[in-house]
Amino acid sequence: MISSYGRYGFGEVALELFQLMLREDIRPTEFTLSCVLSSIPIPPVEHGSQFHSMAIKSGFDSNAVVASSLMEMYAKTGSIDSSTEIFVKLDKRDLVSWNTIMMGLTQNGRAAETLDVFKELLEEGLPPDRITLVAVLLACNYGGFVDKGMLVFSAMKEEYGVMPGEEHYACIIDLLCQAGQLGKAIDITSTMPFQPGCSIWESILRASAIYGDVKLTENVAERMMDLQLPSPLPYSLLTQAYAMRGRWEAIVRVKKVMRKNGISKVTGCSWIGIKNRIYTFNAGELQHHGGQKIYLVLRLLTWEMEDEGCVYLECDKLDVEGR
C-alpha cells in the first residue's frame, strides 16, 4: 500500500500509513523503509534525519536498498554531502548505489564529481547501464562538457553495450543546443532510429530562439504543431516571432490551432521547504510570499554575477511559459 500510494504521487498518504504501521507496533523491513523514503517527493530535513536514525537502529543502514533510498532522499533536499558519506561507508555497492550517487551529484550541480565517480565505476569493472549513462550525459550537459558528452554518447553501443534511448538523445541534443551547435543537434535527430520526442524538439526550439535563428524557430515550431505534440512552447515562440514581424493574421492562425489541439498555457511553478512547510511560487505570484524582498536579493545576485564577469541569458524575454 505504501509503495502504491507513493508510485501514484500520494506521498503524504504513504507517510501516514507508515506512521500507522509503527503505532500498531509492526516493525518495518528494509523494503518498507525504502518504499516510504522513495514515496516522499521532498522530505523535510528533520524527517530525513529521523528515517536515517531508524535505519541505523534497525540495522538496515548498510543494506544497499535502504542506503540507496537514503542517498536519494538526501540528494532531494540538497544534502548531497550526506549522500556521499553514506556511499563511501557502504561495504558492498551495487549498480543501483552507483547510479543513485551519480544522479544525486548531477542534480546538485556537482557535474565534475559525477564524472569522477563514473571513472571509479569503470575501474571497479562494473558495466554501466542506461541509467548510469543518463546521469553521465546529464552531468556533461550541466557542466558544459561537450567533448566528453559526445565521447560517452558515441561509445554507448560499442564500448558499454547500451543502445541509446530517447533520454540519451535528449541529453546530448540539449548539450549541443546549449553550446550553440544547433547544426550538430539537428544532424543527430536525423540519425535517430525513432521519431524525436517532445523534449528534444523543445531543446532545439528554445536554443534557436535564444540564439536568434528566427527561420529555424519557425520551422521547428511549425513541425511541432503539425505533430500535435503536447507542449505550449512552439505556439508561444511562434506567436512572438510573428508579432515581431507584424504578421497578425499568422498569430490568429496559431492561436486557432492551439485551441483546436487543446493546448493550454502552463504556469511556471517552483517550491521550497522551510521548517516543515512547503512554499509554492507560481509565475507572477511572488508578491504573495514577500516578492519585493526576493526580487531585491535576485538583483543583488545579478550584480555580483556581473562583477565576477559571468554571462547570463534573460530567458524571460522569450515569453516561454512554464520554463
Side-chain angles (χ1 to χ4, degrees):
M1 289 295 293
I2 291 173
S3 176
S4 298
Y5 275 119
R7 188 180 301 116
Y8 290 99
F10 297 97
E12 292 183 1
V13 180
L15 183 57
E16 290 174 2
L17 277 177
F18 180 69
Q19 293 170 337
L20 178 62
M21 186 184 79
L22 295 178
R23 293 193 195 103
E24 294 292 329
D25 201 25
I26 300 174
R27 184 184 177 187
T29 66
E30 62 268 39
F31 300 106
T32 312
L33 279 174
S34 178
C35 285
V36 73
L37 285 169
S38 301
S39 299
I40 308 172
I42 307 180
V45 176
E46 305 82 53
H47 286 181
S49 300
Q50 292 172 9
F51 282 123
H52 196 174
S53 298
M54 184 180 297
I56 294 174
K57 291 178 181 178
S58 303
F60 297 142
D61 55 313
S62 59
N63 180 276
V65 175
V66 176
S68 294
S69 298
L70 286 170
M71 286 190 287
E72 183 182 17
M73 176 202 67
Y74 279 123
K76 287 178 182 177
T77 61
S79 304
I80 189 61
D81 290 334
S82 297
S83 299
T84 305
E85 185 178 343
I86 293 172
F87 179 75
V88 169
K89 290 181 178 179
L90 271 178
D91 294 329
K92 295 182 179 179
R93 303 169 186 167
D94 58 11
L95 190 56
V96 175
S97 304
W98 287 91
N99 288 346
T100 303
I101 192 62
M102 289 172 64
M103 194 65 77
L105 287 167
T106 298
Q107 292 170 346
N108 282 270
R110 306 257 189 107
E113 292 181 45
T114 301
L115 299 183
D116 290 338
V117 174
F118 179 58
K119 182 180 178 181
E120 187 180 346
L121 169 71
L122 296 179
E123 291 173 350
E124 290 284 332
L126 282 174
D129 63 2
R130 62 179 186 83
I131 298 175
T132 314
L133 296 171
V134 167
V136 173
L137 291 174
L138 276 176
C140 293
N141 193 343
Y142 296 162
F145 307 134
V146 180
D147 293 338
K148 179 64 176 178
M150 288 298 297
L151 185 64
V152 171
F153 181 76
S154 302
M156 281 185 61
K157 183 179 177 181
E158 298 297 331
E159 189 170 341
Y160 305 126
V162 179
M163 287 293 295
E166 183 170 352
E167 64 271 29
H168 304 103
Y169 278 102
C171 289
I172 197 66
I173 288 173
D174 193 47
L175 172 60
L176 291 171
C177 286
Q178 291 192 47
Q181 300 181 24
L182 298 181
K184 287 185 179 180
I186 294 173
D187 289 341
I188 289 179
T189 62
S190 63
T191 64
M192 291 175 61
F194 44 81
Q195 287 295 324
C198 185
S199 61
I200 290 176
W201 287 121
E202 282 187 341
S203 294
I204 297 174
L205 181 60
R206 196 176 300 112
S208 65
I210 290 175
Y211 288 100
D213 193 331
V214 179
K215 186 63 178 177
L216 181 59
T217 300
E218 290 183 356
N219 291 339
V220 175
E222 289 177 352
R223 181 164 185 175
M224 291 181 70
M225 289 166 57
D226 292 338
L227 294 172
Q228 297 185 8
L229 296 176
S231 170
L233 185 64
Y235 304 90
S236 302
L237 291 183
L238 201 56
T239 298
Q240 182 184 8
Y242 288 152
M244 292 173 64
R245 295 183 174 188
R247 297 173 58 181
W248 311 116
E249 293 182 359
I251 293 176
V252 173
R253 178 179 63 83
V254 171
K255 290 186 175 181
K256 284 183 178 179
V257 175
M258 187 175 183
R259 286 193 296 268
K260 179 183 176 182
N261 292 341
I263 304 297
S264 57
K265 293 183 178 180
V266 178
T267 302
C269 178
S270 61
W271 58 89
I272 184 172
I274 302 176
K275 295 182 179 179
N276 290 326
R277 182 176 178 183
I278 302 296
Y279 294 88
T280 303
F281 300 90
N282 293 321
E285 294 183 353
L286 282 175
Q287 295 299 328
H288 297 297
H289 300 281
Q292 290 182 344
K293 293 181 180 179
I294 293 175
Y295 281 122
L296 177 60
V297 173
L298 288 175
R299 197 173 297 115
L300 291 173
L301 290 174
T302 302
W303 289 341
E304 288 189 17
M305 288 170 61
E306 291 173 346
D307 289 340
E308 293 292 332
C310 296
V311 178
Y312 63 94
L313 295 171
E314 296 185 43
C315 296
D316 58 304
K317 290 183 178 180
L318 298 177
D319 190 29
V320 181
E321 288 86 348
R323 301 299 303 180

